[in-house]
Amino acid sequence: MPGYVRVEAEEIIGVARKGNLPRDRTHGQLAVKNVSTSSPSQCAARLYHDYDKFLLFSYDLMSTHQKATPLVAPGHTRPVTHLSFSGIQDDGTYMLVSSCKDGNPMLREWTGDWIGTFLGHKGAVWSTKLSLDSSRAASGSADFTAKIWDTYTGNAIHSFPHNHIVRTVALSPTSSHLLTGGQEKKVRIFDLGRPDAEPDFLCDSGILSHEGMVKSVVWIGDHTGVTAGEDGKIKWWDLRTRNLTTMLTFPNPITSMEWSPQTQRLVVTSGNTVAFIPGLPTGQGMHTLNLPYSPSSASIHPILQDRFVTGNSGDEWVRVHGMDGEEREVLKGHHGPVHCVEFSPDGEMYASGSEDGTIRLWQTTPGKTYGLWQGQN
């Protein structure tokens, strides 16, 4: 039958719902003919049942809705706990570093191809981040250490002992200092030029930085550190004076906080809330949304800023939402809860990490030629 192609039932059902078209409940099969490609939701369609063949769908309409096919990046043997992209490098590429409960952070090219594994931790790694020039990586582990790595050789340059699990790390823009936080409820700042010196502490009252575990630390600009804890508090610190400057409180524990340098916003998840917060708070510009589930992680499109992706520890799906909270896509492929998501710095793809031990890379525009994805004619 000319002008038609075969498609998955999931796709055709989605279009049928938009147009309020009936479907055969017994066989779950539909075919749409004479579809107006300019307005699928208002098209006039005639349905018929085809019990012997696959579903048929208009080629022109199909070309406007490609199904996302992820690339799978294997290698880890335990749940993936954190993902972080580098910035775009001088040659236009970037890198991805992953943390895992197997204790072996992995470095990958922008295509998803494996570069190397950082070997040396003796416990789960909860956070790994790259320096601005990607020459260094910092990691925090359940072995009570934070480490600095040379990304060219894979060797550990420094190892900083702690008294409990390190859950989060952040390098300064010049890679001269390191922030760490974790189970101790304390945030430390290490001078990498004096690795044998005792660290300084960021203290709110007494000896603690937060009243709960520190879930995330980020470094913004030259002198600002931001920390988030299970106590529901986000705190901004002047790293020159080590003093607390301002604080924001959520009613539920913070589950994730990531810095989006292109948008200059913090992306925070807490309970059912996703919040987009200016990196340097002025009391204006904060945008919050309540979702029908509790996201484990969220990331905003760095260029368009018109959508964000989420993971959810309650199911195995990656979701794409508009900035009004509307659910645009539900992407299936993982075989365990999704713990972390992150957009690439050019916005062309996003990565998800799961309990199933895999990293999946998803195109923002399915069907486009990019990296290892080959575009469709």
Side-chain angles (χ1 to χ4, degrees), residues 65-122:
H65 180 72
Q66 298 284 351
K67 186 175 183 179
T69 302
L71 298 176
V72 180
H76 285 301
T77 59
R78 296 285 309 282
V80 178
T81 56
H82 189 256
L83 297 169
S84 184
F85 283 100
S86 73
I88 297 177
Q89 305 301 296
D90 292 339
D91 61 359
T93 66
Y94 53 85
M95 290 190 287
L96 170 66
V97 66
S98 56
S99 305
C100 183
K101 288 186 179 181
D102 63 13
N104 301 319
M106 288 188 176
L107 187 66
R108 298 179 186 275
E109 294 181 346
W110 66 283
T111 58
D113 288 338
W114 177 82
I115 296 175
T117 301
F118 299 109
L119 301 175
H121 279 298
K122 294 179 172 59

Side-chain angles (χ1 to χ4, degrees), residues 41-62:
S41 64
Q42 298 177 4
C43 66
R46 180 167 64 87
L47 305 179
Y48 68 92
H49 302 298
D50 184 344
Y51 300 112
D52 302 317
K53 301 178 181 179
F54 289 96
L55 305 180
L56 303 176
F57 192 58
S58 162
Y59 177 81
D60 288 335
L61 181 57
M62 178 58 190

Side-chain angles (χ1 to χ4, degrees), residues 176-224:
S176 61
H177 290 79
L178 173 71
L179 281 175
T180 68
Q183 294 285 145
E184 291 182 82
K185 309 175 186 177
K186 298 177 181 179
V187 176
R188 291 173 169 85
I189 180 168
F190 294 89
D191 184 343
L192 301 186
R194 300 185 303 127
D196 295 328
E198 290 297 315
D200 288 338
F201 290 86
L202 303 182
C203 299
D204 185 1
S205 58
I207 61 173
L208 299 181
S209 309
H210 282 266
E211 296 170 4
M213 180 179 67
V214 180
K215 288 298 294 280
S216 179
V217 296
V218 300
W219 197 301
I220 299 177
D222 295 327
H223 309 299
T224 301

Side-chain angles (χ1 to χ4, degrees), residues 6-177:
R6 301 184 179 198
V7 299
E8 297 293 332
E10 193 172 78
E11 294 173 1
I12 188 76
I13 290 168
V15 174
R17 285 175 181 163
K18 287 184 179 179
N20 296 318
L21 303 177
R23 56 184 283 238
D24 185 312
R25 296 181 181 274
T26 304
H27 298 274
Q29 294 177 321
L30 289 175
V32 180
K33 299 177 67 177
N34 303 321
V35 176
S36 167
T37 59
S38 62
S39 181
S41 64
Q42 298 177 4
C43 66
R46 180 167 64 87
L47 305 179
Y48 68 92
H49 302 298
D50 184 344
Y51 300 112
D52 302 317
K53 301 178 181 179
F54 289 96
L55 305 180
L56 303 176
F57 192 58
S58 162
Y59 177 81
D60 288 335
L61 181 57
M62 178 58 190
S63 66
T64 67
H65 180 72
Q66 298 284 351
K67 186 175 183 179
T69 302
L71 298 176
V72 180
H76 285 301
T77 59
R78 296 285 309 282
V80 178
T81 56
H82 189 256
L83 297 169
S84 184
F85 283 100
S86 73
I88 297 177
Q89 305 301 296
D90 292 339
D91 61 359
T93 66
Y94 53 85
M95 290 190 287
L96 170 66
V97 66
S98 56
S99 305
C100 183
K101 288 186 179 181
D102 63 13
N104 301 319
M106 288 188 176
L107 187 66
R108 298 179 186 275
E109 294 181 346
W110 66 283
T111 58
D113 288 338
W114 177 82
I115 296 175
T117 301
F118 299 109
L119 301 175
H121 279 298
K122 294 179 172 59
V125 174
W126 289 100
S127 174
T128 311
K129 293 177 184 174
L130 294 163
S131 63
L132 205 57
D133 63 1
S134 297
S135 67
R136 298 287 184 267
S139 58
S141 172
D143 65 7
F144 295 14
T145 69
K147 295 183 186 292
I148 302 294
W149 307 84
D150 183 319
T151 61
Y152 296 105
T153 65
N155 295 329
I157 301 172
H158 305 300
S159 183
F160 299 107
H162 292 63
N163 297 321
H164 213 310
I165 295 169
V166 183
R167 291 295 297 258
T168 177
V169 295
L171 283 164
S172 67
T174 58
S175 300
S176 61
H177 290 79

